[in-house]
Amino acid sequence: MHISEGVLSGPVLISGIVLAAAGTAIGLKKLDYDHIPRAAILSASFFVASLIHIPIGPSSVHLILNGIVGITLGWGAFPVILVALTLQAIFFQFGGITTLGVNTMIMALPAVLCYYLFGRMVSKKASIAIPAAFVCGAFSIFFGAIMVGLALIFTEENFLKVSYLVVMVHLPIMIIEGIITAFCVAFLKKVQPDMLPGSSEQISFAPQKEAAGD
Amino acid sequence: MRTNNFTKKNRMCCRKSFGFMLFMMACVVWTDPAMAHRSTIFAWVEGDKVFTESKFSGGRLVKQGDIIVYDLEGNQLLKGKTDDQGKFSFVIPKKTAMKIVVQAGMGHRGEWTIPLSELEDVAGPLTEITTSRKTAPKRTEKQAKVSHLSSNQIRLTVEEALDKRLKPVMKILVESREHGPTFRDIFGGIGYILGLMGVASYFHYRRKSAEAERKKAN
């Protein structure tokens, strides 16, 4: 899902950078200091996930994990994904420095959307939360594929054709990522329920602050 | 009692977070560092032809990917498609430095430049070479006529023999270019992320301790 350097035209790149910068600014504002370690762990996971390739389908596709990043961080997904993508571009030559803005939009916007669509559902009882998490994982990839189509609209012209192709290629990933997201949510529900949105975070953080003050 | 309860809960929480960290570490170890996600093209000159091989750098071949050849001014010289082995070859259309671009679809792109110096051995008029090349081996068979061979023909014969000999070397070169992210890259990246986290918490706690000192002073 990383768009390489030299594919997109200047205006697309610039609008990508502007939008991604705006998203990152909102994300940093919303990301409070208590969530920094969580954001770092998720950033590291996102960074590494791109190395797990799924050898199904005609092209080379890998895990993205933007669904789980979005659902646990909301707008914080923007800075987290931007950092991970920068490092991927430097260390792995995935995507590129000039396409950083566009690539951030492709992966972070679906993450934020997932947060708003499924955030409330995953903190409900398991029979609702687990299917919602599955759909969230799959949808984050699906929407990312649509974003790739949108980004390439000015170069490859046929939006529907490109989007269809990208969705088809990522079909196995959608299913796998859905399963991973469902497992992660089930795991977090048991272990760290306050990492999921909608759970009463204020209450769970209050005693920690008290302890720090002592 | 309350604090006791809290520390107990806190410790359990820690143990569980440790489990989560272990899970993430398992993800890291599970990854295959040879895999990557970008497309690359490697091209080399052999005689009057240019051979190219395109891959996604996980070793997956770029099948039916578009190859476009430009000169350095950006004029398109020719266009083609890779076969199912990711290969595409073409006869050099013009004696100029070339930029060969592979477009593997969905925003994947790789390029390779062949400088003019690599083409220098391909002597001036290309057509002449190709015809003389075909005849060159036949002539060498005739040992008696060796002395009649022009220096140009000898050069071409040697070149052809060298091309043949160098083919396996070229293959090794193509394959050795294929290096995905190493463990150093992976852990380096994770290190950067943890470093950023450290910087953020440094500023956070500096502000916090300043606040605490102010409170004390009051």
Side-chain angles (χ1 to χ4, degrees):
Chain A
M1 231 173 235
H2 300 68
I3 293 181
S4 310
E5 232 146 338
V7 174
L8 299 172
S9 57
V12 179
L13 290 174
I14 290 165
S15 46
I17 290 166
V18 170
L19 289 171
T24 309
I26 298 171
L28 283 175
K29 211 158 185 213
K30 293 210 171 189
L31 197 67
D32 105 55
Y33 275 110
D34 293 319
H35 293 161
I36 294 282
R38 178 195 302 180
I41 290 178
L42 283 162
S43 191
S45 315
F46 182 93
F47 171 71
V48 173
S50 65
L51 296 172
I52 302 174
H53 277 242
I54 310 297
I56 314 173
S59 178
S60 134
V61 285
H62 57 78
L63 290 184
I64 295 171
L65 293 189
N66 54 348
I68 191 80
V69 171
I71 215 155
T72 47
L73 287 174
W75 279 95
F78 264 96
V80 157
I81 288 176
L82 178 67
V83 166
L85 281 176
T86 310
L87 292 167
Q88 281 177 354
I90 295 167
F91 283 108
F92 307 155
Q93 284 86 48
F94 292 1
I97 297 295
T98 56
T99 55
L100 215 50
V102 175
N103 284 336
T104 305
M105 284 304 290
I106 286 173
M107 288 173 240
L109 196 62
V112 175
L113 213 76
C114 277
Y115 173 77
Y116 283 115
L117 285 176
F118 304 102
R120 295 209 165 274
M121 282 192 233
V122 292
S123 54
K124 292 203 170 115
K125 62 176 193 279
S127 58
I128 299 171
I130 305 300
F134 179 86
V135 178
C136 165
F139 184 83
S140 62
I141 304 293
F142 176 79
F143 193 59
I146 304 286
M147 292 291 292
V148 172
L150 271 177
L152 291 174
I153 201 166
F154 298 103
T155 43
E156 297 199 13
E157 282 157 29
N158 197 334
F159 166 66
L160 279 179
K161 209 173 133 193
V162 174
S163 302
Y164 174 77
L165 191 72
V166 180
V167 170
M168 280 300 133
V169 163
H170 285 85
L171 220 50
I173 290 285
M174 280 165 70
I175 295 164
I176 291 165
E177 205 134 310
I179 294 168
I180 290 176
T181 312
F183 266 109
C184 277
V185 166
F187 182 75
L188 289 175
K189 268 182 106 60
K190 271 189 206 149
V191 175
Q192 284 289 60
D194 52 280
M195 262 184 90
L196 297 172
S199 66
S200 40
E201 276 182 51
Q202 294 305 318
I203 298 162
S204 68
F205 272 104
Q208 277 181 15
K209 277 182 185 160
E210 214 171 88
D214 285 343
Chain B
M1 189 63 202
R2 196 176 150 247
T3 41
N4 200 16
N5 256 349
F6 176 70
T7 46
K8 208 173 171 188
K9 198 179 162 196
N10 209 19
R11 205 177 300 145
M12 242 172 71
C13 213
C14 269
R15 209 179 300 152
K16 282 167 180 173
S17 325
F18 181 68
F20 189 65
M21 286 288 272
L22 265 186
F23 169 73
M24 286 305 175
M25 284 301 282
C27 280
V28 175
V29 175
W30 182 40
T31 54
D32 182 353
M35 295 294 206
H37 184 73
R38 60 189 156 124
S39 44
T40 51
I41 180 165
F42 180 63
W44 67 97
V45 183
E46 229 179 88
D48 60 330
K49 267 182 143 185
V50 174
F51 291 83
T52 71
E53 204 172 291
S54 312
K55 277 180 183 173
F56 290 108
S57 50
R60 247 196 137 111
L61 303 161
V62 178
K63 294 171 185 169
Q64 304 299 324
D66 286 321
I67 302 268
I68 306 165
V69 183
Y70 299 97
D71 60 15
L72 288 190
E73 281 81 52
N75 304 314
Q76 187 179 319
L77 297 176
L78 61 99
K79 218 175 162 179
K81 261 187 190 306
T82 57
D83 62 10
D84 286 345
Q85 262 77 50
K87 287 183 176 136
F88 175 71
S89 59
F90 57 91
V91 177
I92 296 167
K94 202 168 121 190
K95 202 180 163 191
T96 166
M98 285 179 286
K99 194 171 83 179
I100 304 168
V101 174
V102 61
Q103 284 182 342
M106 296 184 295
H108 294 144
R109 181 179 183 278
E111 61 176 63
W112 183 266
T113 309
I114 294 185
L116 192 59
S117 58
E118 270 184 47
L119 299 177
E120 226 115 73
D121 304 332
V122 182
L126 289 160
T127 42
E128 197 181 287
I129 293 169
T130 39
T131 48
S132 55
R133 263 174 161 266
K134 277 171 197 157
T135 49
K138 279 181 198 164
R139 289 193 183 197
T140 47
E141 280 163 21
K142 298 174 185 172
Q143 292 285 327
K145 288 186 179 173
V146 163
S147 55
H148 300 295
L149 285 173
S150 70
S151 66
N152 196 36
Q153 280 164 332
I154 292 172
R155 195 170 59 83
L156 287 170
T157 319
V158 169
E159 248 171 39
E160 194 173 352
L162 267 179
D163 278 349
K164 222 181 247 171
R165 291 275 172 187
L166 283 177
K167 222 170 197 171
V169 179
M170 277 309 198
K171 209 169 170 234
I172 292 167
L173 261 182
V174 173
E175 276 157 14
S176 68
R177 274 193 76 251
E178 193 55 52
H179 60 89
T182 58
F183 276 111
R184 201 166 50 181
D185 294 335
I186 297 167
F187 286 105
I190 294 172
Y192 270 100
I193 292 168
L194 294 182
L196 281 175
M197 182 183 96
V199 169
S201 14
Y202 168 73
F203 282 111
H204 174 49
Y205 285 107
R206 205 173 65 161
R207 209 187 55 185
K208 243 186 169 178
S209 61
E211 265 170 27
E213 260 174 39
R214 218 175 302 139
K215 256 185 199 171
K216 251 186 204 170
N218 287 340

